[in-house]
Amino acid sequence: MALDALSDVSDEALLVAYGNGDRAAARALTLRLTPRVLGYAARILGGDRAEAEDVAQEAMLRLWRQAPAWRQGEAKVTTWLYRVVTNLCTDRLRKRRGQDLDSIPEPEDDRPGAEAGLQETARARALDAALQTLPERQRQAVVLRHIEGFSNPEIAEVMDIGVEAVESLTARGKRALAAELAPRRAELGYEDG
Amino acid sequence: MADKAEKRPLDEAELDRLFEAARSAAPAPSDALLARVMAEAEAEMPVAHVAPAPPARRRGWLAGLIAGVGGWPAAAGLVGAAVTGVAIGVASPQALERLSGGYLSPGGYALENLMPSYAGMLGEG
């Protein structure tokens, strides 16, 4: 696979190349972006793997369809794509609210087990559970900032809000997480306070 | 959660370690999902751009003639040769008559006798 040859090429250049019929660019973008959007969708949707896969596939499909009209320098591919994922997740969560709770599948957990570090796994699980207790917008902002690594201006673009609103959402979200996880200090390997 | 209020909230560094753990525990996409995404990419992929051939232009008779003799460089050669021939004919240099000897003027005709109108017209000879 010629993925190494394209690892230095930006998402934007790859998308333009795909728009010009470059198959290798399609493969590179698929392998680069699908894991990211899947991980983000899974966290926002609360661990429903099948639903997260549907969202990831739909977001990527919209990206392929956007390619012919894409102009380099106008936007970042990741910002555009995460915005699509965020909106798709919001739609799904809205529909879910009208559903019977029992019809929603339990979150699947296919993370690596003991060999990858029980403590790390326990921490990731505890954080995911605590994230689900946050209001949706706080959850989005915290995940985008602290797990996906976006800057505040980028998050503002993804969420279609101002930078100050992003700062407020992440600050409130983190305070809520810190309080939510306080009783689980021992489980997380932290000393009791 | 009676003990929730009694516990100290996690500090910034403790939260950061949780975020770090979450980053490394991101779910990996299944091969089936990657295959579906790639299949859609190929289905939606625009056809590779190939520069369209310029439309064939109608050529005038002169362009056709020039192309027939090998293009403008060849035409320039032909014109040069024709002009040289005319110049030689008009000037009828002695050397040429000597060279051609009796062949060109077997009955005592000079070269200019073959084309008197040229000589008369140009006032030479």
Side-chain angles (χ1 to χ4, degrees), chain A:
Chain A
M1 189 177 304
L3 192 60
D4 287 344
L6 296 174
S7 59
D8 291 337
V9 182
S10 71
D11 297 337
E12 292 72 30
L14 284 175
L15 191 60
V16 170
Y18 167 78
N20 287 327
D22 187 336
R23 196 167 175 274
R27 177 174 286 276
L29 282 173
T30 298
L31 296 177
R32 188 186 291 184
L33 298 176
T34 308
R36 293 193 62 185
V37 293
L38 175 68
Y40 176 56
R43 286 219 158 79
I44 299 303
L45 292 170
D48 183 340
R49 177 64 185 250
E51 203 168 20
E53 287 206 353
D54 282 352
V55 166
Q57 188 178 345
E58 174 66 24
M60 292 301 287
L61 177 62
R62 292 189 186 190
L63 180 67
W64 306 135
R65 289 182 175 163
Q66 183 69 21
W70 195 270
R71 297 284 173 272
Q72 277 205 77
E74 280 185 9
K76 274 183 78 175
V77 168
T78 44
T79 311
W80 185 91
L81 192 59
Y82 272 72
R83 186 173 178 151
V84 170
V85 175
T86 301
N87 291 338
L88 288 171
C89 288
T90 298
D91 288 347
R92 299 241 171 186
L93 290 172
R94 198 170 290 151
K95 278 181 199 158
R96 203 190 269 182
R97 275 180 217 122
Q99 277 181 8
D100 178 8
L101 277 176
D102 292 337
S103 68
I104 300 166
E106 283 293 308
E108 292 168 35
D109 205 330
D110 55 0
R111 292 204 191 93
E115 66 277 9
L118 278 175
Q119 189 69 80
E120 289 298 289
T121 307
R123 284 176 177 173
R125 280 183 190 163
L127 179 65
D128 276 352
L131 281 169
Q132 297 313 308
T133 67
L134 298 183
E136 187 185 336
R137 298 296 269 175
Q138 285 184 23
R139 180 160 74 247
Q140 289 169 356
V142 168
V143 171
L144 286 167
R145 183 79 182 90
H146 295 286
I147 299 179
E148 301 299 327
F150 281 96
S151 67
N152 284 347
E154 287 171 333
I155 298 170
E157 206 177 314
V158 169
M159 296 182 66
D160 202 16
I161 54 177
V163 173
E164 282 182 15
V166 172
E167 289 166 357
S168 167
L169 283 171
T170 48
R172 281 184 287 150
K174 281 174 73 178
R175 269 202 305 276
L177 284 178
E180 179 68 26
L181 290 163
R184 304 178 72 173
R185 284 184 160 278
E187 183 191 335
L188 299 172
Y190 296 152
E191 286 178 14
D192 279 352

